[in-house]
Amino acid sequence: MRKKTLALGLVLALIIGVLAGCGGPKADVPIFAMFPENAPFNKNDELEKSLKEKVGETPTVQLFVTPMFSLDKMVVELAAGENGLFIVPKAQFDMLANQEGYISLDDTFKKQDYPEGVYKDQLFGVPVTNTKWLKDLGYKGGEMIAYIPFRAKNKEKSKEVLKVIMEK
């Protein structure tokens, strides 16, 4: 069953990759977010707008918030390799940590400040639940972690955006 799910995920990732090439200009840092509850408090457009205001004109960002929690969707998005940042529930971050598909953030943040994102003595994720960005929009849901996947195309730009998200 697990092999079928993985195979389906890879096929879907291929289809998504082909279709993604058909669109217009891409953001420097596409962001995939999946909250533990259904779409966060129905403010997806506001989340993206406020993030774009915080980041400014460069690097460009685009936020995609999946309308429902789906582990399969997250795996497909990871396989597609199109996103520069992921924002997911801590349980999903922890579940995939042993796959070692995250970029180390040791050069960007102090790991002692974010022990919940440390795996094998390296910082791979930072908690965004209590960031000003989410709090200003009224998020009161479960614990969320942001990380940069190994396949991110613009790793340095993704780190820049993550620094902005983490501003107090």
Side-chain angles (χ1 to χ4, degrees), residues 15 17 24 33 51 59 62 71 79 86 96 103-104 113 140 153 158:
I15 292 169
L51 183 57
Q62 182 177 14
L71 187 56
F86 275 73
L96 294 174
I103 297 299
S104 173
D113 291 344
K140 294 181 174 112
K153 291 180 178 28
S158 295

Side-chain angles (χ1 to χ4, degrees), residues 31-37 40-41 47 50-51 54 63 65 84-91 93 105 108-109 113-118 123-148 158-168:
I31 302 168
F32 175 82
M34 182 177 70
F35 290 82
E37 297 83 29
F41 48 89
L47 277 171
S50 71
L51 183 57
K54 286 177 75 65
L63 178 66
V65 180
L85 275 173
F86 275 73
I87 301 172
V88 299
K90 182 164 180 0
F93 170 82
L105 300 172
T108 309
F109 301 101
D113 291 344
Y114 306 110
E116 55 273 83
V118 175
L123 179 64
F124 290 110
V126 291
V128 295
T129 309
N130 294 314
T131 59
K132 182 172 177 17
W133 173 54
L134 286 180
K135 281 185 144 191
D136 283 354
L137 290 168
Y139 181 70
K140 294 181 174 112
E143 187 175 8
M144 302 295 291
I145 300 285
Y147 67 90
I148 300 171
S158 295
K159 287 179 183 181
E160 286 177 40
V161 171
L162 191 51
K163 283 191 248 181
V164 171
I165 289 173
M166 296 305 293
E167 288 176 356
K168 302 201 188 256

Side-chain angles (χ1 to χ4, degrees), residues 17-28 30 60 62 82:
V18 169
L19 293 175
C22 299
K26 305 257 187 298
D28 294 328
T60 58
Q62 182 177 14
E82 294 295 319

